[in-house]
Amino acid sequence: MSPRPHDLIWLNDVNALQGDLPAWVSSQWRISLPLVVRRDTHPQGLIAVGVRGMRRDQRAAAWVAPDVIRRLLTPEALADTATLLRSPFVSQPPLQAAMLLAQQPWPWQWGITGSCGYALATEVPVIHGDSDLDLLIRAAQPLAEEEMMRWSRMVAGLPCRADSQVETPYGAFALNEWLRDGRVMLKTSQGPRVTRHPWQEAE
């Protein structure tokens, strides 16, 4: 089990969270709720995670040991049509938008992150009619520009605001930024860097 950024993980020990955590975590986070894997590294091999509260401003950074993970769910698993249809939030615009994307063939794996992904995984009502849809495209190799443009056009016509991140082996970047500028702010485990080569390791 090798968690990647944006994966959701569940723990087998309520006391497994490590780090300097705000007081609300102990009252709002419980072991039945997932944590969101963050993009960071730890010298002892701990996994960077984020804890979500019920309010938008309640986000906390923590660390967990790999051996306390009992379940992992990827963003791609949440973009499945059957999963979307089963959700109690299926009538909300972000999920309607995801359904439209799921009905199209794409040459890559993609998934749902952010509040919509969390709501799909937990049925906790953290989304509403004005929520954004956060999307992740897995791209081990450079993507065809024609297909990226097709995706971008469809996303622009969805019934809610949607943001697409492209995940490469070296980090993630905003698709719109790439299509507009040909260079991006690549978010990596060592921090952000500006590059025209997001599929290449930093020199």
Side-chain angles (χ1 to χ4, degrees):
M1 203 181 289
S2 299
R4 297 180 290 182
H6 299 291
D7 284 350
L8 296 173
I9 59 173
W10 284 257
L11 307 185
N12 59 20
D13 182 353
V14 72
N15 298 310
L17 286 179
Q18 301 182 38
D20 187 14
L21 297 168
W24 62 261
V25 171
S26 61
S27 62
Q28 292 200 28
W29 182 76
R30 53 191 188 274
I31 201 167
S32 61
L33 294 174
L35 305 166
V36 185
V37 177
R38 296 185 293 114
R39 197 182 308 278
D40 205 345
T41 58
H42 192 280
Q44 297 174 344
L46 298 180
I47 295 164
V49 296
V51 187
R52 289 184 70 112
M54 289 302 294
R55 298 204 318 258
R56 285 180 69 102
D57 63 333
Q58 289 178 325
R59 302 288 186 272
W63 301 89
V64 298
D67 60 2
V68 299
I69 298 172
R70 65 177 172 86
R71 182 188 172 203
L72 182 150
L73 190 63
T74 66
E76 296 95 309
L78 298 171
D80 173 68
T81 302
T83 300
L84 294 166
L85 286 171
R86 280 196 305 268
S87 172
F89 313 115
V90 68
S91 63
Q92 296 280 13
L95 268 64
Q96 289 290 304
M99 287 285 294
L100 292 171
L101 285 170
Q103 290 165 12
Q104 295 290 318
W106 302 104
W108 49 64
Q109 287 190 310
W110 65 278
I112 302 169
T113 64
S115 59
C116 290
Y118 192 85
L120 281 166
T122 64
E123 299 190 355
V124 175
V126 293
I127 61 170
H128 48 77
D130 295 327
S131 292
D132 293 351
L133 175 61
D134 296 306
L135 300 163
L136 181 72
I137 294 172
R138 300 284 190 193
Q141 303 292 332
L143 304 176
E145 181 142 352
E146 181 181 331
E147 287 296 318
M148 286 192 284
M149 292 294 293
R150 182 169 75 92
W151 172 277
S152 184
R153 285 193 299 270
M154 183 157 189
V155 165
L158 293 175
C160 70
R161 175 181 159 78
D163 293 309
S164 302
Q165 293 272 318
V166 179
E167 183 86 24
T168 82
Y170 305 106
F173 63 86
L175 178 60
N176 283 348
E177 189 180 7
W178 174 257
L179 292 174
R180 184 183 67 239
D181 301 331
R183 70 173 187 171
V184 294
M185 180 73 75
L186 188 70
K187 293 182 285 189
T188 78
S189 297
Q190 290 75 42
R193 62 182 173 92
V194 176
T195 180
R196 291 187 180 277
H197 307 287
W199 282 274
Q200 294 181 16
E201 198 167 4
E203 294 180 0

